[in-house]
Amino acid sequence: MRRKIDWERQLGRRLKLRDLHVFFTVAERGSMAQAAAQLDVTAPTVSEVIADLEHALGVKLFDRSPRGVEPTVYATALLKRGKIAFDELKQGIRDIEFLADPTVGELRIMCDESIAAATLPLIIHRFTRDHPNAVLDVEPFDRFAYVTKLRDRMFDLGLTRRPQPDLENDPRGELKAEVLFEDELVVAAGKHTRWARRRKIDLAELADAPWILTTPGTWNYDVVAEAFRKRGLGVPRLSMKTLSVYLRTNLLATGEFITAFPRSVLNLHAERFSLRALPVDLPARPWPVMLLTLRNRTMSPIVERFVVCAREVAARSGKP
């Protein structure tokens, strides 16, 4: 017969948030002693908390060994649900903090390199002007795990140039994708180069130029390769492959290199690095800058304010 846990008698009056915090730390560290060191308490204190939890639940939460501890199936179930509860509680605290003082809050953002090099700085400048005490945590966009990271609240939103989320990446349709604006790809070089003085350049003339492109399979590379193939030409000779916008802008400013940038990147960096868009025709393939959030999750006030700023900046971005 399945054992029923009496929430009110066994847990409701006894379980403390501190106990769950200790439990999560032990599971994360895989050791009572290491958890105690991280929490700045004694190892017997940690052991007592875990023992009390096991007694209240009537199940074993950890298997002990000389190497440490491992969560049992019961602990895994509690971890899964407990983290969600803790996360919602932290989100509630963040909401209260913002409502009490709308100038503070924390925002976690995943962002593609080319957006972080052009559009995101403009959004941040506008956002921090109104919210100077907000803390922004920006990390590279994880194209393999972005759905999971948004679902688990590791990040509040994503900024990406990826296509609309598909069934492979988002099988449960959890993501909401908003196109902020349509960017385009342009060929660029330094203003000091011989190419920058030309009024018209045939693509074939650039076949042997020292190109810097992103890796094959990326949008940047594929659009350029497609343009050459349509002219019956081979892919141009590459001097370097890199995703780094910073590296490409610096090399263009000091050498004879050629690259392809999103229009928004060139708009922001052209004057600073003495760059110029070359009069070269590329296939007309819009390159959307997209905002990704979870479809059925209410955004915190600070995230909502950031989204508003992103839309305002996007209305003026990607234009020649």
Side-chain angles (χ1 to χ4, degrees):
M1 182 176 179
R2 184 169 64 91
R3 178 179 177 275
K4 183 177 177 62
I5 297 175
D6 186 330
W7 167 262
E8 180 65 20
R9 183 173 60 84
Q10 293 177 254
L11 292 178
R13 298 179 182 179
R14 297 172 56 184
L15 186 63
K16 300 180 177 64
L17 289 177
R18 173 180 174 274
D19 297 342
L20 286 178
H21 181 51
V22 171
F23 166 72
F24 293 145
T25 306
V26 172
E28 178 185 350
R29 304 295 298 185
S31 163
M32 299 278 190
Q34 291 184 27
Q38 180 174 323
L39 296 169
D40 197 23
V41 297
T42 65
T45 298
V46 171
S47 297
E48 183 180 350
V49 169
I50 298 301
D52 287 345
L53 270 177
E54 291 178 328
H55 178 73
L57 293 168
V59 296
K60 191 176 183 180
L61 294 175
F62 293 100
D63 289 324
R64 280 77 165 173
S65 75
R67 297 185 302 274
V69 296
E70 288 189 8
T72 64
V73 291
Y74 308 111
T76 301
L78 184 58
L79 283 167
K80 179 181 177 182
R81 301 296 184 180
K83 282 185 177 179
I84 294 174
F86 253 70
D87 184 70
E88 289 296 329
L89 179 61
K90 287 191 291 184
Q91 186 66 28
I93 298 300
R94 290 171 64 193
D95 289 352
I96 291 172
E97 181 183 50
F98 181 86
L99 293 170
D101 183 353
T103 66
V104 303
E106 182 182 357
L107 211 64
R108 295 160 295 186
I109 303 165
M110 276 189 294
C111 189
D112 279 344
E113 161 74 14
S114 63
I115 300 175
T119 306
L120 183 58
L122 300 177
I123 299 173
I124 290 175
H125 282 309
R126 185 179 184 89
F127 177 77
T128 55
R129 181 188 64 193
D130 297 327
H131 308 287
N133 296 320
V135 178
L136 303 180
D137 183 354
V138 181
E139 295 191 17
F141 191 87
D142 187 339
R143 63 190 183 95
F144 298 107
Y146 62 94
V147 177
T148 301
K149 289 187 174 182
L150 287 170
R151 183 198 306 132
D152 294 346
R153 286 196 188 275
M154 296 173 67
F155 293 91
D156 297 298
L157 54 87
L159 291 169
T160 181
R161 295 184 186 276
R162 293 182 60 79
Q164 293 276 353
D166 52 33
L167 290 177
E168 180 180 355
N169 294 318
D170 185 21
R172 292 185 284 182
E174 297 174 89
L175 292 190
K176 177 181 178 183
E178 176 183 345
V179 176
L180 292 176
F181 68 93
E182 296 284 359
D183 214 338
E184 63 175 341
L185 201 65
V186 296
V187 178
K191 288 183 179 180
H192 62 277
T193 62
R194 66 185 187 279
W195 306 111
R197 295 187 291 271
R198 298 276 295 276
R199 293 186 177 181
K200 186 67 177 178
I201 301 174
D202 188 270
L203 194 62
E205 297 179 76
L206 300 179
D208 295 323
W211 281 83
I212 304 174
L213 289 177
T214 54
T215 54
T218 59
W219 182 277
N220 183 303
Y221 180 94
D222 290 348
V223 171
V224 173
E226 178 188 349
F228 276 85
R229 282 196 296 267
K230 283 187 174 180
R231 294 291 309 279
L233 303 168
V235 178
R237 177 177 66 86
L238 295 186
S239 295
M240 179 180 292
K241 291 182 290 185
T242 179
L243 288 171
S244 173
V245 172
Y246 177 79
L247 183 56
R248 282 183 280 162
T249 51
N250 277 273
L251 288 173
L252 261 62
T254 58
E256 294 292 319
F257 298 101
I258 291 175
T259 194
F261 279 137
R263 172 74 69 179
S264 59
V265 171
L266 191 64
N267 286 349
L268 184 64
H269 296 292
E271 183 175 352
R272 183 184 308 170
F273 290 95
S274 297
L275 308 181
R276 179 168 295 174
L278 301 184
V280 178
D281 292 329
L282 291 178
R285 292 176 60 181
W287 202 6
V289 171
M290 302 178 64
L291 172 73
L292 299 183
T293 54
L294 283 180
R295 186 178 299 279
N296 296 316
R297 178 177 292 167
T298 301
M299 290 186 288
S300 69
I302 195 74
V303 177
E304 289 178 344
R305 295 290 182 89
F306 185 88
V307 170
V308 170
C309 286
R311 290 170 180 156
E312 292 171 350
V313 169
R316 302 189 303 274
S317 296
K319 298 178 181 179

